[in-house]
């Protein structure tokens, strides 16, 4: 009996190990897994088909110059890595805005509807107005995603009223939410030390 118990524990422990991310695994399109691949210096190995392009540009409202890399440029899977510094060893942010294969560990992807975000957050959240640099930015409030390093930006499918524009938290009732048909337009995975 004791041997069976030990064997069961060994099988259980080996089954709990996370799957290794390879160039063929679908898990490589999870944003948090990309961050792990970067930390292990395996970007070229895991994403050999990504046609990575690189450059330097101004970010953070044009105030900070940073190196960047674009994976899968000009495709639905295009993803921007903004590096912490020019050595490109640590990402400052990982940004996606196309409806490709990228998603977060919680299942958030570009196009995720407002109601699904509420379910994932396990509660309500606030969002900022539209028509400025941080248009539709989500504040997770006290929900499950509050302490995550995931930043989400919403966009309305329908044109919002003028009162829904600008750098302000939007006071929206359920009918407004339904009428706007809000969906995720962009996702940022923020470096944990910068969040």
């Amino acid at each position: 009996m004791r041997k069976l118990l030990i064997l069961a524990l060994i099988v259980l422990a080996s089954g709990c190990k996370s799957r290794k991310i390879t160039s063929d695994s679908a898990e490589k399109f999870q944003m948090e897994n990309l961050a792990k691949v970067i930390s292990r210096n395996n970007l070229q190995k895991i994403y050999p088909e990504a046609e990575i392009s690189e450059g330097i540009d101004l970010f953070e409202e044009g105030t900070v110059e940073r190196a960047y890399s674009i994976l899968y440029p000009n495709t639905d899977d295009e993803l921007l890595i903004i590096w912490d510094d020019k050595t490109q060893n640590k990402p400052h942010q990982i940004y996606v805005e196309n409806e490709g294969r990228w998603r977060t560990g919680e299942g958030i992807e570009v196009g995720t509807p407002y109601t699904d975000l509420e379910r994932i957050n396990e509660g309500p959240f606030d969002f900022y107005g539209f028509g400025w640099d941080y248009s539709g930015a989500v504040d997770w409030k006290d929900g499950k995603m509050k302490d995550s390093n995931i930043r989400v930006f919403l966009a309305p499918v329908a044109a919002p009223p003028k009162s829904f524009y600008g750098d302000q938290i939007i006071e929206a009732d359920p009918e407004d939410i339904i009428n706007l048909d809000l969906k995720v337009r962009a996702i940022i995975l923020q470096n944990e030390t910068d969040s």
Side-chain angles (χ1 to χ4, degrees), residues 42-170:
N42 284 338
L43 193 59
Q44 295 287 348
K45 179 181 175 187
I46 303 300
Y47 301 90
E49 78 290 358
E51 298 182 23
I52 301 169
S53 64
E54 298 183 344
I56 296 175
D57 207 342
L58 293 172
F59 294 94
E60 298 172 38
E61 298 184 81
T63 60
V64 179
E65 185 177 83
R66 294 189 186 274
Y68 68 85
S69 298
I70 299 174
L71 277 64
Y72 305 99
N74 304 310
T75 71
D76 289 342
D77 291 325
E78 182 174 292
L79 175 137
L80 173 66
I81 301 169
I82 303 169
W83 297 102
D84 197 45
D85 60 31
K86 293 178 182 176
T87 64
Q88 299 185 3
N89 291 323
K90 183 172 94 173
H92 172 65
Q93 293 179 336
I94 298 173
Y95 178 87
V96 64
E97 65 179 4
N98 291 345
E99 290 192 40
R101 291 177 281 181
W102 295 103
R103 67 192 180 289
T104 69
E106 298 290 338
I108 301 169
E109 58 192 349
V110 173
T112 297
Y114 182 95
T115 52
D116 288 358
L117 282 183
E118 274 189 321
R119 180 185 48 76
I120 291 166
N121 192 44
E122 296 179 1
F125 56 84
D126 289 331
F127 63 93
Y128 283 81
F130 306 107
W132 64 296
D133 286 349
Y134 298 104
S135 180
V138 165
D139 175 352
W140 296 115
K141 291 173 71 170
D142 291 325
K144 177 182 174 185
M145 300 297 291
K146 176 184 177 185
D147 295 324
S148 75
N149 54 344
I150 301 293
R151 307 291 173 253
V152 173
F153 300 85
L154 300 174
V157 173
K162 289 181 182 178
S163 61
F164 280 59
Y165 283 88
D167 179 2
Q168 62 178 333
I169 294 282
I170 298 301

